[in-house]
């Protein structure tokens, strides 16, 4: 599941393959930009911003993409077979003399002026993996709505950018509270620790092929994806329920023994 660490990895992959090189092939397979031709322009850099990717191109242009749940960027040598999915799922192709970047299942793809990047990322809170990370501002943002459930507040990219469903569940476990606990009910010492812990988790995983929050080989996550399996700390079966307004599938995992706070009355039957 793409979260801040995954997007960091995608940006590093694209930057290494494309930056400093002129484009020899471009194909944006969305109707609005189908006729856009970027060939001959040099890719300047690829920068992650929260869960967003900004590919900056000579001439003051930025190709903005977002992976959402299923999107991905793959890079291939020019004589290599593409294996990221069927051809109809390709949304973008950026080729150079020796590498080709292919964007699969990208739900967001738009070409804009670099000076207009604020339109797509200006609303984001402090970026957990960004150079201007501000833990105090992130915590202040989270505390602005004291009655909001902590899990929902963590997913709101306006508060802090980079956390998705996996890190939401894992952070709440490590803090010892359920994702339904109102933000204001989070003990002061744990609230102060939250931004530091979140950054630590994402930084530890940004260069890892397999995400882990436990430090245990073969047991990568404490609760996420482990419904009905025993808690790694206490042995109690992990539970799962949807969180949010129901417009998205947000399975949320917790240990009913290790985590204090409110929980749903009727947990949903996710695996």
């Amino acid at each position: 599941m793409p979260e801040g660490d995954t997007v960091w990895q995608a940006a590093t992959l694209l930057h290494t393959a494309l930056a400093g090189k002129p484009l020899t092939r471009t194909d944006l397979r969305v109707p609005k930009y189908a006729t856009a031709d970027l060939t001959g322009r040099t890719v300047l850099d690829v920068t992650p911003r929260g869960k967003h990717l900004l590919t900056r191109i000579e001439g003051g242009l930025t190709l903005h993409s977002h992976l959402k749940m299923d999107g991905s960027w793959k890079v291939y040598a020019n004589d290599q077979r593409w294996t990221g999915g069927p051809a109809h799922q390709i949304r973008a192709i950026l080729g150079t003399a020796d590498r080709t970047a292919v964007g699969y299942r990208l739900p967001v793809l738009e070409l804009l002026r670099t000076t207009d990047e604020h339109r797509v990322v200006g609303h984001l809170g402090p970026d957990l993996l960004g150079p201007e990370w501000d833990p105090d501002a992130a915590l202040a943002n989270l505390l602005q709505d004291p009655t909001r459930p902590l899990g929902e507040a963590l997913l709101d990219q306006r508060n802090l950018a980079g956390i998705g469903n996996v890190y939401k569940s894992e952070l709440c476990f490590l803090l010892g509270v359920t994702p339904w606990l109102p933000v204001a009910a989070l003990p002061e010492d744990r609230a102060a620790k939250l931004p530091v812990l979140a950054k630590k988790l994402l930084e530890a995983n940004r260069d890892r092929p397999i995400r882990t929050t436990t430090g245990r080989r073969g047991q990568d996550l404490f609760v996420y994806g482990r419904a009905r399996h025993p808690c790694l700390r206490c042995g109690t079966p992990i539970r799962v329920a949807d969180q949010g307004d129901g417009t998205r599938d947000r399975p949320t995992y917790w240990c009913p023994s290790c985590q204090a706070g409110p929980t749903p009355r009727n947990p949903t039957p996710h695996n």
Side-chain angles (χ1 to χ4, degrees):
M1 181 178 295
E3 303 197 16
D5 53 350
T6 312
V7 175
W8 173 279
Q9 292 171 11
T12 300
L13 177 72
L14 291 172
H15 183 86
T16 301
L18 304 177
K21 302 175 184 178
L23 293 169
T24 58
R25 177 185 181 186
T26 61
D27 186 359
L28 306 182
R29 297 182 180 179
V30 293
K32 187 175 181 179
Y33 307 107
T35 60
D37 184 5
L38 304 174
T39 56
R41 298 175 186 253
T42 297
V43 176
L44 303 178
D45 66 78
V46 183
T47 298
R49 181 73 171 89
K51 299 182 184 182
H52 300 253
L53 282 165
L54 303 171
T55 302
R56 298 180 179 125
I57 300 167
E58 181 183 19
L61 296 176
T62 293
L63 184 65
H64 166 234
S65 58
H66 196 299
L67 305 181
K68 297 280 185 184
M69 294 291 290
D70 300 313
S72 68
W73 279 97
K74 305 291 184 180
V75 172
Y76 304 98
N78 285 349
D79 60 353
Q80 189 177 0
R81 180 172 173 266
W82 298 356
T83 58
H88 72 266
Q89 293 183 348
I90 295 173
R91 294 293 176 266
I93 300 171
L94 301 176
T96 68
D98 62 346
R99 293 287 186 273
T100 301
V102 185
Y104 290 91
R105 300 171 298 277
L106 300 175
V108 175
L109 185 71
E110 58 182 325
L111 190 63
L112 63 151
R113 303 297 303 181
T114 300
T115 53
D116 290 335
E117 285 180 0
H118 64 277
R119 288 200 300 104
V120 293
V121 296
H123 65 289
L124 298 176
D127 186 344
L128 281 154
L129 294 178
E132 299 179 357
W133 165 245
D134 186 338
D136 294 332
L139 182 58
N141 290 343
L142 289 168
L143 295 174
Q144 280 183 349
D145 188 349
T147 63
R148 192 175 192 184
L150 177 60
E152 293 182 24
L154 288 172
L155 287 182
D156 190 336
Q157 302 299 295
R158 297 171 297 181
N159 291 331
L160 68 171
I163 292 177
N165 225 31
V166 177
Y167 282 117
K168 173 193 76 173
S169 295
E170 294 296 296
L171 273 168
C172 288
F173 176 82
L174 290 169
L175 292 169
V177 298
T178 70
W180 291 271
L181 184 81
V183 171
L186 186 65
E188 187 175 347
D189 60 329
R190 296 186 222 180
K193 185 169 69 171
L194 190 159
V196 176
L197 180 58
K199 182 175 178 61
K200 181 179 179 180
L201 288 179
L202 266 72
E203 280 191 334
N205 284 289
R206 67 184 182 186
D207 296 318
R208 287 177 176 162
I210 298 176
R211 181 185 292 143
T212 180
T213 60
T214 66
R216 305 180 186 186
R217 182 175 297 179
Q219 297 176 325
D220 299 318
L221 302 173
F222 282 109
V223 292
Y224 188 85
R226 301 191 63 250
R228 292 187 287 276
H229 290 276
C231 173
L232 297 181
R233 284 185 176 170
C234 73
T236 302
I238 299 299
R239 306 192 75 181
V240 61
D242 279 329
Q243 183 174 32
D245 59 10
T247 59
R248 297 182 182 179
D249 189 22
R250 295 287 194 188
T252 300
Y253 299 81
W254 79 99
C255 173
S257 296
C258 293
Q259 294 173 253
T263 59
R265 290 185 177 181
N266 298 304
T268 50
H270 288 279
N271 293 322

